[in-house]
Amino acid sequence: MTMEPTARSLPREPLGEAHLRRLIAGQGLAAVVDALFLIWLTLFVLKLSEPGMATGFVLVAVALPRAALLLPAGVLVDRLGPARIAAGAAWLRVAVLLALGALVTLASPSVTAVALLAALLGVADAAYFPAALALLPGVVPTERLARVNALVQGAESGGDLIGPAVAAGVIAAVGFDATLGGIAALAALAAVALSMPIRAIRSGESMPTHAIRSGEPAGDFADPESVEGERLSTARALGAGLSYAWREPVVRGMLAAIALINIAVVGPVLVGGAVLADQRLGGAGALGIVLSGFGAGSLAGSLVAGWRPPARRGWTVVGGVAAIGAGMAGLAAVGDVVAATAVVSLIGLGSAFLGVVVVATLQERVPQGLLGRVLSLVVLATVAFDPFSYTLAGVLVPLGTTMLFLVCGSAVLTCAALVALSPAIRSLR
């Protein structure tokens, strides 16, 4: 199996090590690339065809393989090591972007050709996301995990906040071809930075004599990848990860909270927010201001979570879920853009703060041999329920935005109460 350093083995100042700074920069750049490319892809497909099914077809082509392959990718991360998978996925992303750039520059691509290449990016994303999350505990001291996660997620929030305006402005200035070339260059820089942990491992840099291997027993944890010395099949290895997540109350509770929040927030905010803007806030332009508030709140939440990690994590998780629920319910009463932006900013702040705390907690608590599978479940809970969320919003919107936001806010507040009833989560420090 792959030899990788543990958090205990490295110097205690993560940002003081050059390869760790590169790793953080690489993950931040990768997040910005995702934000820029999504806008580029949407605008380019709109250029190729009339608005409608074509845009949805290409976006689904990215989302389907990403959701379908996340759990098998988690098994692969645990078997081959997160550093190799993260770097390989980053270079696959570069290759696909270069191929798409050549196609756009040298030919007149069809929507189908663009969708096929976009699907390959979905494959790369499925491997990259759990690997990137599982990589951090191997190179960052435990007490610094929240801060490093906050930096990475802050870069993602920043990309979501400014990405649309930057991508649209650059496309208007230099065109689709040059913009895609710039995105590919940023992706290459990210891939180079993400390859640094592999070089450090191969050269033995920062490797102590007592470093353990990914997937070996840790404490009283029995290796889930072997039974009587034989490697489990992919299906059984995946089953072992699912079984662990179900048996552990902290993991089970956090995954359930993430999934419910995703269902009750994403679709209602986007769909209900559009209706709210049209009915109460003065038109479609108000929606952009409100959603910018969500991005600003997310950025602030990530940075606050990293700057002052909570001493009582369990109650912080409860408070974060409750803040999101209160914000959703509060949208039922807003009547102007300022109030709506303030409330949505609260939802963004709570979501980002909660995300940093949850990910850092799981990175610390889950045995290294299962980390890829568990974190792939976290990513799946974040991205896989979007269709259900949009369906829920579509069902409730005809009843009015007040009913929509009250129902969704009440559901999240109920989730906060249930989380608070869990002794395992309440006792988290």
Side-chain angles (χ1 to χ4, degrees):
M1 292 191 179
T2 302
M3 291 289 292
E4 295 197 2
T6 64
R8 297 185 300 273
S9 64
L10 294 179
R12 307 310 284 181
E13 274 296 334
L15 301 184
E17 291 294 317
H19 71 275
L20 294 177
R21 291 198 299 270
R22 294 189 191 103
L23 173 61
I24 295 168
Q27 292 200 12
L29 274 175
V32 172
V33 166
D34 282 343
L36 294 176
F37 179 74
L38 180 62
I39 300 304
W40 183 95
L41 182 64
T42 302
L43 294 177
F44 185 72
V45 174
L46 288 173
K47 175 190 173 186
L48 291 180
S49 63
E50 294 297 323
M53 290 296 295
T55 305
F57 171 63
V58 173
L59 295 179
V60 167
V62 178
L64 278 181
R66 181 172 57 196
L69 296 176
L70 267 171
L71 297 185
V75 175
L76 197 63
V77 169
D78 288 334
R79 286 183 171 171
L80 301 182
R84 285 175 172 79
I85 299 301
W91 284 113
L92 174 59
R93 183 180 292 165
V94 174
V96 174
L97 289 173
L98 290 175
L100 183 58
L103 184 66
V104 169
T105 302
L106 303 176
S108 298
S110 64
V111 171
T112 301
V114 173
L116 289 174
L117 287 171
L120 286 177
L121 284 175
V123 173
D125 287 346
Y128 173 77
F129 290 142
L133 292 175
L135 177 57
L136 292 178
V139 293
V140 177
T142 299
E143 68 272 13
R144 299 286 186 171
L145 273 174
R147 180 166 297 181
V148 173
N149 276 293
L151 290 174
V152 174
Q153 292 189 36
E156 182 177 351
S157 298
D160 291 339
L161 181 62
I162 67 173
V166 170
V170 173
I171 289 170
V174 301
F176 284 98
D177 300 8
T179 302
L180 184 58
I183 295 172
L186 290 177
L189 288 175
V192 170
L194 289 166
S195 299
M196 294 299 171
I198 294 180
R199 297 180 185 177
I201 291 166
R202 287 175 176 170
S203 66
E205 180 183 346
S206 300
M207 285 283 291
T209 57
H210 62 278
I212 66 170
R213 292 179 294 178
S214 176
E216 285 190 348
D220 59 355
F221 169 62
D223 188 351
E225 283 282 18
S226 64
V227 176
E228 296 181 354
E230 295 184 3
R231 180 186 289 271
L232 297 179
S233 67
T234 298
R236 292 180 67 190
L238 181 55
L242 293 172
S243 176
Y244 171 85
W246 178 255
R247 291 195 316 267
E248 290 293 320
V250 169
V251 179
R252 184 176 66 241
M254 288 185 172
L255 285 174
I258 292 170
L260 188 142
I261 289 170
N262 189 65
I263 293 171
V265 172
V266 174
V269 166
L270 291 177
V271 178
V275 176
L276 184 68
D278 182 62
Q279 293 179 349
R280 299 190 207 171
L281 307 182
L287 180 63
I289 298 173
V290 172
L291 293 181
S292 294
F294 182 89
S298 297
L299 179 59
S302 298
L303 297 179
V304 170
W307 184 255
R308 289 192 176 277
R312 298 175 64 88
R313 291 192 185 183
W315 286 109
T316 299
V317 170
V318 174
V321 177
I324 296 168
M328 289 298 295
L331 283 174
V334 298
D336 57 66
V337 174
V338 174
T341 303
V343 172
V344 169
S345 298
L346 173 65
I347 297 173
L349 189 148
S351 299
F353 195 98
L354 185 65
V356 171
V357 173
V358 166
V359 169
T361 300
L362 295 179
Q363 287 171 334
E364 294 173 14
R365 295 176 62 89
V366 176
Q368 192 170 358
L370 283 164
L371 193 56
R373 277 163 282 182
V374 171
L375 291 176
S376 71
L377 285 170
V378 173
V379 180
L380 187 67
T382 303
V383 303
F385 293 100
D386 287 357
F388 299 99
S389 184
Y390 293 130
T391 301
L392 175 66
V395 170
L396 292 178
V397 158
L399 302 177
T401 54
T402 298
M403 179 64 69
L404 168 69
F405 292 123
L406 284 178
V407 168
C408 293
S410 298
V412 178
L413 287 170
T414 301
C415 177
L418 293 175
V419 170
L421 293 176
S422 169
I425 293 181
R426 285 201 315 269
S427 61
L428 279 175
R429 299 280 181 177

